[in-house]
């Protein structure tokens, strides 16, 4: 960075004119620092406001410096303005304030020309800077020490303040009674009434105020009591999940325990992937492992993080069920796992399993139909993932499985509604709501489940053989042709389009 003012002025001296600082041509000056982006506007504003009666020079600062107001590093420029009139100086001061330029006092020309005064001023400035730095460091150390002492008792003070706020909040619910007493009516869990009376007696003994307060039951009739469910760390998330749909009435069957069983498993059926389920399982396990450390910290500061930790067991159960159903479907990141030996062999492949297989090759079962060797040890045979009818097979299997468990859950919910109606003696609800619902459910959905299991129990190879036509003769010896409908060729004559020779379209 070049100096703004030289030590000598040679312009007038070269012409034989002697220049002194005490002459009438002495100028005033102001020095400051300005944002580099404002240079053009600042210079234009100075020229227009002073009508050109000032001289300004700029010099770029070599590296960004922190802005005094924002604290962010910015590119700055040092400027010096020469002017003659005090009126012009006032105008320049207002312009510098408008542009956010920081002005700094500099010594006059007489001081700059005296080396002794200049060294004295530099020394005093250096000492002031050192003292200011020392004060700042001491203040920072004092602040850190004070904050450290306060932080040790922060949680204790916070608990005291919250407790006091809760006490005053409860006191605001009381009503003034005779003789300056306060009276309030509240619900209490029946099993915790002895503990509440013991707390009142203990407070009286500690404060030596016998009979200052009393706990007595309110005479009947009572309004409808609120619902209170006792939960633990595992069931809390499921109870909150159920409460989002509606809080059960007093003495109704709580569906949260049933939800704790069915919801993770139904989620696993929807997710049904070993890889993705493992990610959720590991995430839940991490939340369980880190929860003790999180509880010791300020656990009330982040509501969203607290909700995630509250659902840690739910997430773990969901991940475990997703891994289990993924093993059943033999699906890991949409890829099959050959955990056990396949029960099929491809035609044209070496030993039935190795080598190249052309499109359209047939996979033959290695065991007779219905034998125990034909059953894959666990889950789905991986050969189905590379078959032509993969999508048809898996969609059919997953849909049927989802229908079965969905109907079971829905039927369970209807039965809970009927039990609640019987317990409360609501005959109208039982007859006009529960019975039509359960009849409709059994006649349509439960019947469909029965058909699904019936289809799975039938030997369709034998059924299709009944509807085959070989060499113009049906299985029972009647003449036929390949163009004849299946229900005419099938000897079972069960009706429908297939006559029993194929599965019903409803459960196909």
């Amino acid at each position: 960075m070049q100096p703004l003012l030289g030590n000598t002025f040679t312009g007038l001296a070269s012409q034989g004119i002697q220049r002194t600082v005490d002459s009438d041509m002495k100028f005033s000056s102001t020095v400051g620092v300005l944002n580099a982006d404002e240079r053009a506007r600042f210079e234009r504003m100075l020229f227009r406001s002073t009508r050109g009666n000032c001289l300004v020079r700029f010099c770029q600062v070599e590296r960004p410096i922190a802005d005094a107001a924002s604290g962010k590093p910015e590119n700055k420029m040092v400027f010096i303005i020469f002017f003659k009139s005090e009126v012009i100086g006032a105008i320049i001061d207002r312009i510098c304030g408008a542009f956010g330029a920081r002005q700094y006092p500099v010594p006059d020309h007489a001081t700059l020309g005296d080396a002794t005064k200049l060294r004295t001023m530099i020394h005093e400035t250096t000492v002031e800077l050192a003292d200011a730095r020392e004060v700042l460091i001491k203040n920072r150390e004092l602040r850190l020490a004070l904050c450290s002492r306060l932080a040790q008792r922060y949680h204790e003070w916070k608990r005291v303040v919250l407790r006091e706020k809760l006490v005053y909040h409860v006191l605001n619910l009381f009503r003034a009674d005779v003789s300056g007493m306060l009276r309030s009516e509240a619900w209490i869990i029946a099993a915790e009434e002895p503990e509440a009376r013991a707390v009142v007696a203990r407070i009286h003994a500690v404060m030596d105020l016998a009979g200052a307060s009393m706990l007595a039951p309110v005479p009947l009739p009572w309004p409808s009591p609120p619902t209170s469910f006792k939960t633990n760390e595992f069931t809390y998330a499921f109870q909150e999940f159920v409460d989002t749909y509606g809080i059960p009435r007093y003495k109704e069957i709580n569906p949260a325990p049933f939800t704790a069983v069915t919801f993770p498993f139904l989620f696993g059926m929807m997710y049904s992937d070993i890889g993705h389920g493992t990610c959720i399982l590991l995430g839940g396990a991490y939340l369980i492992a880190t929860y003790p450390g999180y509880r010791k910290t300020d656990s009330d500061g982040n509501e969203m993080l607290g909700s995630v930790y509250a659902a840690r067991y739910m997430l773990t159960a969901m991940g475990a069920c997703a891994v289990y159903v993924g093993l059943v479907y033999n699906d890991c990141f949409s890829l099959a796992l050959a955990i056990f030996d396949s029960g099929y062999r491809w035609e044209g492949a070496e030993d039935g399993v190795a080598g190249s297989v052309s499109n359209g090759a047939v996979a033959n079962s290695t065991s007779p139909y219905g034998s125990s060797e034909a059953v894959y040890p666990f889950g789905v045979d991986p050969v189905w993932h590379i078959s032509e009818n993969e999508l048809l097979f898996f969609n059919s299997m997953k849909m049927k499985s989802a229908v079965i468990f969905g109907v079971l859950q829905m039927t369970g919910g209807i039965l809970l509604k009927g039990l609640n109606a019987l317990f409360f003696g609501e005959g109208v609800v039982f007859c006009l709501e529960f019975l039509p619902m359960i009849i409709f459910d059994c006649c349509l959905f439960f019947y469909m489940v029965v058909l699904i299991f019936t289809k799975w129990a039938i030997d369709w190879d034998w059924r299709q053989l009944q509807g085959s036509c070989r060499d113009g003769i049906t299985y029972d010896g009647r003449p036929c042709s390949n163009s004849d409908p299946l229900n005419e060729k099938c000897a079972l004559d069960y009706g429908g389009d297939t006559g029993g020779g194929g599965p019903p379209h409803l459960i196909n």
Side-chain angles (χ1 to χ4, degrees):
M1 183 172 65
Q2 299 297 325
L4 294 172
L5 290 175
N7 295 328
T8 58
F9 300 91
T10 60
L12 297 176
S14 61
Q15 302 177 13
I17 301 175
Q18 184 66 30
R19 171 76 184 273
T20 63
V21 296
D22 295 330
S23 65
D24 294 337
M25 296 301 294
K26 178 180 178 182
F27 284 88
S28 299
S29 64
T30 180
V31 179
V33 178
L34 177 71
N35 196 324
D37 298 334
E38 301 288 345
R39 171 179 175 174
R41 295 176 59 243
F42 181 73
E43 191 172 7
R44 186 164 54 249
M45 181 62 69
L46 285 174
F47 180 82
R48 291 176 177 177
S49 300
T50 62
R51 301 180 182 271
N53 293 315
C54 70
L55 178 65
V56 59
R57 289 292 181 263
F58 295 92
C59 184
Q60 180 73 38
V61 180
E62 296 178 353
R63 57 184 179 181
I65 59 177
D67 186 72
S70 62
K72 299 180 180 179
E74 296 179 353
N75 293 322
K76 299 287 186 177
M77 299 195 74
V78 179
F79 65 86
I80 182 170
I81 306 173
F82 297 98
F83 56 92
K84 183 68 175 174
S85 171
E86 294 182 358
V87 176
I88 296 177
I91 295 175
I92 293 174
D93 291 339
R94 288 197 295 269
I95 295 175
C96 291
F99 280 84
R102 295 183 64 85
Q103 296 173 267
Y104 298 93
V106 295
D108 55 12
H109 295 138
T111 305
L112 291 176
D114 191 339
T116 304
K117 292 183 179 180
L118 188 61
R119 283 195 297 269
T120 303
M121 183 176 296
I122 293 175
H123 176 73
E124 292 176 354
T125 304
T126 305
V127 172
E128 291 179 1
L129 289 175
D131 293 341
R133 178 179 176 81
E134 187 68 22
V135 171
L136 290 176
I137 293 175
K138 291 295 183 181
N139 288 338
R140 185 182 303 138
E141 293 176 354
L142 290 175
R143 290 199 306 270
L144 291 176
L146 179 60
C147 292
S148 299
R149 291 196 301 269
L150 295 178
Q152 296 176 359
R153 305 191 62 183
Y154 169 74
H155 294 287
E156 178 185 355
W157 290 344
K158 184 176 181 180
R159 286 193 296 269
V160 172
V161 172
L162 291 177
R163 184 175 60 193
E164 293 295 324
K165 289 179 64 177
L166 290 175
V167 169
Y168 283 104
H169 174 71
V170 174
L171 288 177
N172 289 334
L173 301 177
F174 282 67
R175 294 195 301 267
D177 205 348
V178 295
S179 303
M181 299 293 292
L182 297 177
R183 180 172 60 88
S184 176
E185 297 177 358
W187 295 100
I188 187 173
I189 301 175
E192 297 181 359
E193 182 181 359
E195 182 180 355
R197 293 185 180 277
V199 170
V200 173
R202 186 166 61 251
I203 294 176
H204 288 171
V206 172
M207 301 182 64
D208 195 15
L209 295 173
S213 60
M214 61 178 298
L215 186 67
V218 178
L220 295 174
W222 293 344
S224 178
T227 305
S228 176
F229 295 115
K230 188 175 182 180
T231 60
N232 52 34
E233 293 185 351
F234 180 81
T235 60
Y236 172 79
F238 297 100
Q239 186 65 59
E240 291 293 317
F241 180 74
V242 171
D243 290 345
T244 57
Y245 293 92
I247 300 176
R249 292 179 299 171
Y250 180 64
K251 290 189 177 182
E252 268 192 348
I253 299 177
N254 184 17
F258 304 96
T259 305
V261 177
T262 58
F263 177 74
F265 187 76
L266 292 178
F267 174 85
M269 294 190 65
M270 178 198 69
Y271 224 51
S272 63
D273 190 280
I274 301 173
H276 295 96
T278 302
C279 295
I280 300 180
L281 180 61
L282 294 177
Y286 171 79
L287 293 175
I288 294 175
T290 57
Y291 178 72
Y294 168 76
R295 185 171 54 182
K296 294 179 181 178
T297 60
D298 187 10
S299 56
D300 298 331
N302 193 332
E303 183 178 357
M304 182 176 294
L305 186 59
S307 301
V308 174
Y309 270 101
R312 60 193 183 280
Y313 290 107
M314 176 189 284
L315 294 174
T316 304
M318 291 161 57
C321 291
V323 171
Y324 172 76
V325 181
L327 289 171
V328 173
Y329 293 161
N330 199 352
D331 204 354
C332 180
F333 293 120
S334 300
L335 299 175
L337 300 178
I339 302 176
F340 304 100
D341 190 19
S342 175
Y344 294 86
R345 293 295 183 270
W346 296 98
E347 292 182 353
E350 182 182 349
D351 295 331
V353 294
S356 60
V357 179
S358 60
N359 291 333
V362 179
N364 298 314
S365 178
T366 58
S367 304
Y369 181 85
S371 65
S372 58
E373 290 81 6
V375 180
Y376 196 68
F378 185 83
V380 178
D381 196 312
V383 73
W384 286 103
H385 285 270
I386 55 175
S387 61
E388 290 184 355
N389 57 343
E390 172 196 4
L391 187 62
L392 178 64
F393 171 77
F394 278 103
N395 283 351
S396 176
M397 181 191 67
K398 293 180 180 180
M399 180 196 69
K400 293 180 177 65
S401 302
V403 166
I404 291 171
F405 286 99
V407 170
L408 291 177
Q409 186 193 35
M410 182 173 61
T411 305
I414 296 175
L415 293 177
L416 291 181
K417 183 177 183 65
L419 293 175
N420 287 328
L422 290 176
F423 178 81
F424 289 103
E426 299 173 339
V428 176
V429 175
F430 185 84
C431 297
L432 300 183
E433 291 189 23
F434 168 71
L435 290 180
M437 291 170 66
I438 196 67
I439 292 173
F440 182 81
D441 176 67
C442 292
C443 293
L444 184 60
F445 299 106
F446 200 77
Y447 174 67
M448 182 168 58
V449 174
V450 173
L451 292 181
I452 291 174
F453 279 101
T454 303
K455 176 190 175 182
W456 286 346
I458 293 176
D459 184 359
W460 291 106
D461 288 345
W462 180 81
R463 284 287 191 93
Q464 291 176 351
L465 183 62
Q466 297 290 320
S468 62
C469 181
R470 301 182 62 181
D471 299 330
I473 300 175
T474 62
Y475 183 77
D476 58 347
R478 293 180 289 111
C480 65
S481 65
N482 292 329
S483 61
D484 292 340
L486 182 59
N487 58 352
E488 295 181 3
K489 294 185 292 183
C490 185
L492 299 176
D493 195 20
Y494 286 167
D497 296 336
T498 62
H505 294 296
L506 178 63
I507 55 173
N508 189 14

